[in-house]
Amino acid sequence: MTGVTPSRLLQSCGFLTGDNLAEGNSPVLLVHGGAWAIPDDMAEAHVNGVRHALAAGWKVLERGGSSLDAVEAAIVVMEDDEAFDAGRGSFLTSDGRVQLDALMMDGATLRAGGVGCVERIRNPIRAARLVLDESPHVYLVAEGAERFARQHGLPLCANEELVIEREVQRLREVHEPVVAERPPEFFAEHDTVGAVALDTRGNLGAATSTGGTLNKTPGRVGDSSLIGCGCYADNESAAVSTTGWGEPIMKLVLAKWAADRVLEGMAPEAAARMAIERLETRLAGHGGIILLDARGRSGLAHNTPRMAWALKNPQGESAGIEWPRG
Ligand code: ASP
C-alpha cells in the first residue's frame, strides 16, 4: 500500500447516516466491494476499486440514465478489477475453475435477470442484464446462459482467461491438509460486488456479481444471484445487495427480509443493521448489506471486520472500508 493507512481510507460521511433524504428525484448510488477481513495491504485497492465503480455509475445517473444502467456500469468496473471476487480474478472452484453468478433487478417493474455457474463470460452482470431485457425467463445457468449471452452479442472467453495466479496459489494452500480441516468461515476472504441506485425518474435498481466462495463445489450457487437472497429491488420498499457467506444468507432470504422491513416503515439504516443482527443471531452468519429506498435514504451494515463501500448523492461522495455506526 502506498502510504495510506486504513483509517485514512474511511472518509467523512456525516451526510450518509440514515437520514440522507435526497430531494425530489435526486440520484443516489451506493456500491460495495465485499465484506470480509480486508487485509491492510489490500485496503487501498479496495477503496480505489469501489471509487472507480462509483464514478462509472454516477456518470450514468448524472446524465439522467436509468438505475439499471448505473448499477451495470458500476459492477462492470469491479468485475474488471482483480481486487474483487467477481469476473476475472475470482476465487476458484475445488477443481480450479472460475464459475460466476450475477443478478440484476429493476425496482419499477420487478423484472429480474440472473445467471449462475457461467464459466466463459467476462462480465456476467452484462449477461444478467440481457436476461432481464431479452428473455421471458428470470434465471439461466451454465452453458445455456452462455449460449444465450453469445446469441445476444456478448463475446465468450476461455475459462483460463479468468483465472489468475494469485487464486491458483490460494486454492493450492486451501488444499493443504492442515488448512482443509478448518471450517469454511475461516476463509472469510471473499469479496463479492454489489450496487444499488436511485435514478432521476425515482426508480431503484440493484445488482450483485460474484465468483462465489473459495474451493466451492463445482455447480454451487450462492446467495448473490438469487432473487431476494443476494439482491432485490422494489420501488415500494428498497434496492438491496448482500455479501458474505452465502449459505446462511440464502436460508434467511436476507435481501428481501431487509426490504420488507423498509416496506413496514423502517429506515434503511436500521433495516440494514437488523438484517445483519438476524444473520448473526439466527445462523451465526457473517456478511454485509447495502440498502437504498426510493426516497434516497441509504443503509449499510456488516459484522465482518471490514466492508468496502462508496456512496454518492448530489450533496457529496464518500468511501471507506468500515461503515461508521451511527
Ligand atoms: N455471498 C457470496 C457467495 O456466497 C460470497 C461473497 O459475498 O463474497 O457466493
Side-chain angles (χ1 to χ4, degrees):
M1 201 157 66
T2 53
V4 182
T5 60
S7 58
R8 286 179 52 213
L9 292 169
L10 180 61
Q11 310 291 320
S12 138
C13 50
F15 68 96
L16 306 178
T17 49
D19 283 329
N20 54 311
L21 256 181
E23 279 170 19
N25 291 333
S26 299
V28 184
L29 179 64
L30 175 56
V31 308
H32 75 77
W36 56 293
I38 302 168
D40 287 352
D41 64 353
M42 288 183 73
E44 188 174 21
H46 277 73
V47 173
N48 288 340
V50 289
R51 276 194 186 285
H52 292 148
L54 194 75
W58 189 256
K59 210 183 277 177
V60 174
L61 290 177
E62 72 181 350
R63 60 164 193 258
S66 72
S67 55
L68 287 185
D69 287 344
V71 293
E72 181 177 351
I75 296 283
V76 163
V77 168
M78 292 187 281
E79 287 177 337
D80 288 342
D81 185 336
E82 292 173 14
F84 301 108
D85 178 32
R88 182 177 147 83
S90 287
F91 285 146
L92 301 181
T93 59
S94 57
D95 61 359
R97 296 175 73 77
V98 165
Q99 271 191 353
L100 304 169
D101 310 326
L103 183 83
M104 187 183 290
M105 190 157 175
D106 178 6
T109 61
L110 302 192
R111 284 180 308 152
V115 295
C117 293
V118 293
E119 296 191 345
R120 296 185 297 157
I121 298 177
R122 235 166 225 284
N123 294 111
I125 203 64
R126 289 208 192 284
R129 178 65 188 269
L130 287 170
V131 175
L132 187 155
D133 282 339
E134 311 281 349
S135 168
H137 308 301
V138 165
Y139 205 93
L140 300 176
V141 300
E143 279 172 36
E146 291 169 359
R147 197 175 326 135
F148 176 86
R150 185 165 44 76
Q151 283 164 353
H152 288 82
L154 212 58
L156 299 186
C157 63
N159 192 258
E160 295 71 36
E161 290 175 44
L162 305 177
V163 176
I164 64 170
E165 185 49 37
R166 180 192 70 204
E167 297 305 322
V168 172
Q169 185 53 35
R170 220 198 286 260
L171 185 67
R172 209 172 280 146
E173 284 164 18
V174 147
H175 285 165
E176 284 166 14
V178 58
V179 180
E181 281 165 19
R182 295 179 189 156
E185 287 78 358
F186 176 81
F187 307 107
E189 300 181 1
H190 43 84
D191 44 343
T192 290
V193 302
V196 290
L198 174 66
D199 63 31
T200 52
R201 281 177 292 280
N203 290 323
L204 291 170
T208 306
S209 180
T210 189
T213 49
L214 173 59
N215 196 34
K216 65 184 178 181
T217 301
R220 178 260 190 194
V221 174
D223 62 306
S224 307
S225 62
L226 299 184
I227 286 193
C229 299
C231 184
Y232 195 73
D234 184 347
N235 283 0
E236 293 181 5
S237 55
V240 189
S241 175
T242 69
T243 173
W245 206 263
E247 278 70 12
I249 294 173
M250 290 157 77
K251 291 169 190 167
L252 294 170
V253 197
L254 198 66
K256 178 68 162 64
W257 189 91
D260 284 348
R261 302 290 78 73
V262 178
L263 187 65
E264 289 165 1
M266 190 177 277
E269 183 75 21
R273 272 204 301 270
M274 195 180 249
I276 294 303
E277 271 163 31
R278 180 162 169 76
L279 178 66
E280 187 167 324
T281 53
R282 185 70 180 91
L283 289 174
H286 286 92
I289 189 168
I290 57 173
L291 274 104
L292 178 65
D293 74 5
R295 295 164 65 189
R297 300 180 302 169
S298 61
L300 185 154
H302 58 101
N303 63 349
T304 51
R306 286 173 169 168
M307 178 168 175
W309 60 272
L311 185 141
K312 192 166 171 114
N313 63 24
Q315 286 80 52
E317 174 182 331
S318 192
I321 50 166
E322 281 156 33
W323 186 254
R325 289 181 69 98

